[in-house]
Amino acid sequence: MNGEMRHHAEALEQELKQGEISLGTTIIAASFEGGVVLGADSRTSNGNYVANRVTDKLTQLTDRVFVCRSGSAADTQNLSMYVQHFLHQHSMELDTFVSVKTAARLATQLTYQNKNMLQAGLIVAGWDQEEGGSVYAVPLGGTLVKVPFSLGGSGSAYIYGWCDKNWRPSMTADDCRRFVHTAVSHAMARDGSSGGCIRTVTITKDGCKRTFTPGSEVPLHHGELQGAARTMQVSA
Amino acid sequence: MSGIGTGYDLSVSTFSPDGRVFQTDYAQKAVDIGGTVIGLRCNDGVVLGCEKTVVSKMLEEGSNKRTFAVDRHAGLAIAGLSADGRQVVNRAKSEASNYLSFYGDKIPGHLLSERIASFVHVFNLYWYARPFGTSVMLATMDRAGPQLYVIDPSGTAYRYFGAAVGKGRQGARTTIERLKLEQLSCADGVKEIAKILHQVHEEEKPFELELSWICEASGNEFRRVPADVVAEADRLAKAALDESDMDDD
């Protein structure tokens, strides 16, 4: 290996600090008529080791805004805590709900201003009076983009094509949740760093509704074998 | 230095025995002797009007501005010392633009008024500072609709249906109280303000009308009222004044 290549390899290794726990992840948020659905797998890994198999990567920021977290678990947890803190303070001085745009704006401010220290890819999504359901992507560098739907994490690479083909602008809440659920299940099937269970949150003007699909009930895809949990259920 | 209550007027960092901060009171006086400024919250927007005494015959028309936009949806009129007022305008501008870049949204009127008030208030707290000799009227248009605020030299901010500060405030207030503001449009508000300013103006001294508004006619942005609209309001106001003079005779 020549010097330059070795340097590059070392730099790549240093992206995550020694012992840092990463969210090799699949996250997604999609808007529909009147709201948004957020979805995520539940695997948190440290190299080959699964540090947590029932992680909740969908973190609540306000009454009607959630964030999907990918990257370093420590960075994104603390980042969301800061955003929660600022949003809480801000909602005290406003006498209305904070908008999704403002929540996303605070997330970018923090990621952009600390981009050298952070490993965080966020998707901020929720519902507000002005814009209805909206999705804001906040990727690594701290860019802020409003999008109809957004994918993130290592698993997203496997489902871009499927999502581009199947997302439609005016789905019902149920259709949109199914879209998110299926997308995440496909990514989990192919991506080694994604897996476990599927979590979704549906946000509309009426509130937030969570779903949880245990690993034993995640749909099987081409070439997958039934897991132990499922076999036990069948035999019981 | 004799008698109780004297010698307490040099610094804002000492209360007088009967609980006053004289420097703050004097700052209010500086506003009270300045040109009249009127604000009306009409049913479709806010109109701000200033009576500007023409200090010299050689003065260019439209100089010494007293109304300023601080953002697209907010503007100020300054009463009292205009040089002090411009400090407040500058601060209001930067508050509005900082808020926009931090939260990604335009600053709501009540927050802007609070922040201006906090800024003004700071100058009532330290011995080395002097309060602003200015009251500002803030006109905003946001989700809460059109709003009118007045921030005085002490840093107090109140929200009003209609307000008047400066020399002619007392006469102006009684006239404003008689208006049915919820039935008044900004187009009519402009005329009312012109009328009131002519009414309370001390005679023989020439003055210039400066009017700004935020309503549908200005594209819901804070703008100066177009010259032809001001001229028409001025003409009507003078006619109304002449008529009432004839009634008096």
Side-chain angles (χ1 to χ4, degrees):
Chain A
M1 206 193 296
N2 66 31
E4 197 182 323
M5 273 182 69
R6 182 159 55 246
H7 186 74
H8 183 61
E10 277 167 11
L12 274 178
E13 270 171 37
Q14 276 167 8
E15 267 182 27
L16 279 180
K17 289 167 212 89
Q18 188 60 243
E20 188 170 32
I21 292 177
S22 140
L23 299 167
T25 302
T26 305
I27 50 171
I28 174 170
S31 56
F32 63 90
E33 203 78 9
V36 285
V37 180
L38 296 83
D41 72 312
S42 70
R43 181 168 294 176
T44 297
S45 43
N46 184 5
N48 285 326
Y49 178 68
V50 177
N52 184 357
R53 61 197 184 99
V54 286
T55 319
D56 187 5
K57 300 175 190 175
L58 307 177
T59 303
Q60 189 155 27
L61 295 177
T62 68
D63 268 23
R64 297 279 187 284
V65 183
F66 271 70
V67 61
C68 305
R69 301 182 290 114
S70 76
S72 154
D75 289 358
T76 54
Q77 274 180 9
N78 285 286
L79 212 52
S80 341
M81 281 162 64
Y82 274 111
V83 178
Q84 281 169 353
H85 168 78
F86 283 126
L87 285 174
H88 180 73
Q89 285 201 322
H90 189 48
S91 72
M92 296 286 98
E93 62 177 2
L94 287 178
D95 44 9
T96 51
F97 286 118
V98 180
S99 63
V100 185
K101 187 206 266 172
T102 296
R105 190 59 172 247
L106 287 173
T108 20
Q109 299 265 345
L110 291 168
T111 36
Y112 181 68
Q113 281 163 15
N114 303 291
K115 64 195 295 182
N116 298 325
M117 292 182 281
L118 293 176
Q119 199 66 226
L122 307 174
I123 302 170
V124 180
W127 182 90
D128 62 41
Q129 197 75 54
E130 280 80 47
E131 298 185 32
S134 47
V135 176
Y136 288 88
V138 184
L140 237 52
T143 325
L144 179 63
V145 219
K146 188 175 195 243
V147 282
F149 72 96
S150 176
L151 312 174
S154 55
S156 64
Y158 304 97
I159 52 169
Y160 264 99
W162 189 88
C163 290
D164 287 342
K165 185 173 157 64
N166 288 293
W167 185 83
R168 282 169 292 115
S170 47
M171 286 190 273
T172 63
D174 260 1
D175 285 345
C176 193
R177 203 197 67 78
R178 267 192 291 277
F179 163 80
V180 165
H181 192 270
T182 313
V184 175
S185 76
H186 275 290
M188 286 161 66
R190 287 288 180 185
D191 180 28
S193 314
S194 300
C197 318
I198 301 175
R199 290 179 193 274
T200 71
V201 183
T202 306
I203 310 172
T204 60
K205 69 174 182 356
D206 302 316
C208 311
K209 223 178 81 196
R210 274 184 178 274
T211 71
F212 175 75
T213 310
S216 56
E217 282 161 40
V218 171
L220 292 177
H221 294 298
H222 177 73
E224 281 190 304
L225 299 175
Q226 283 203 340
R230 203 179 302 232
T231 321
M232 279 197 300
Q233 265 183 347
V234 170
S235 62
Chain B
M1 283 283 244
S2 60
I4 295 172
T6 53
Y8 290 96
D9 62 352
L10 293 180
S11 161
V12 289
S13 63
T14 310
F15 277 110
S16 80
D18 49 352
R20 312 201 66 83
V21 177
F22 285 123
Q23 281 300 313
T24 307
D25 292 2
Y26 298 160
Q28 187 62 54
K29 286 215 164 87
V31 179
D32 294 345
I33 58 167
T36 314
V37 176
I38 295 174
L40 294 182
R41 190 184 81 176
C42 304
N43 57 22
D44 59 344
V46 188
V47 193
L48 302 179
C50 308
E51 166 210 27
K52 294 196 299 184
T53 39
V54 179
V55 289
S56 158
K57 276 185 179 163
M58 287 186 291
L59 203 65
E60 279 255 34
E61 208 176 308
S63 36
N64 300 323
K65 286 273 182 283
R66 280 193 176 267
T67 62
F68 302 87
V70 295
D71 200 338
R72 290 158 76 110
H73 70 295
L76 289 176
I78 54 182
L81 301 182
S82 54
D84 284 18
R86 282 196 296 274
Q87 297 289 316
V88 182
V89 170
N90 281 338
R91 180 55 176 244
K93 281 180 183 171
S94 62
E95 288 289 353
S97 81
N98 283 342
Y99 185 97
L100 184 68
S101 68
F102 195 71
Y103 294 111
D105 217 344
K106 58 188 184 185
I107 187 167
H110 71 279
L111 278 188
L112 184 56
S113 79
E114 259 174 41
R115 290 185 180 194
I116 296 171
S118 305
F119 172 68
V120 170
H121 177 237
V122 160
F123 292 81
N124 289 274
L125 294 175
Y126 305 102
W127 63 266
Y128 51 81
R130 142 178 102 67
F132 288 120
T134 183
S135 275
V136 296
M137 280 198 191
L138 172 66
T140 64
M141 182 81 100
D142 57 29
R143 271 168 222 137
Q147 304 288 356
L148 169 70
Y149 301 86
V150 178
I151 298 110
D152 74 10
S154 71
T156 320
Y158 287 125
R159 189 158 59 104
Y160 289 94
F161 292 107
V165 293
K167 218 181 293 173
R169 66 192 175 285
Q170 261 154 1
R173 279 177 195 160
T174 47
T175 316
I176 292 170
E177 279 166 19
R178 280 202 287 272
L179 293 175
K180 295 210 164 30
L181 285 165
E182 61 284 347
Q183 292 161 25
L184 198 76
S185 67
C186 282
D188 295 331
V190 164
K191 292 172 192 156
E192 291 299 337
I193 288 181
K195 231 184 277 179
I196 298 168
L197 287 178
H198 272 284
Q199 203 177 84
V200 300
H201 179 70
E202 286 169 19
E203 277 179 66
E204 304 312 322
K205 277 190 210 157
F207 81 102
E208 196 184 314
L209 261 180
E210 185 179 328
L211 292 159
S212 285
W213 61 8
I214 180 163
C215 57
E216 198 146 316
S218 68
N220 286 323
E221 293 183 1
F222 189 87
R223 293 279 167 78
R224 298 241 156 72
V225 177
D228 55 325
V229 180
V230 179
E232 173 65 6
D234 201 36
R235 192 187 61 78
L236 287 172
K238 277 176 187 155
L241 201 64
D242 290 343
E243 205 170 298
S244 69
D245 283 349
M246 281 201 294
D247 292 345
D248 291 343
D249 295 337

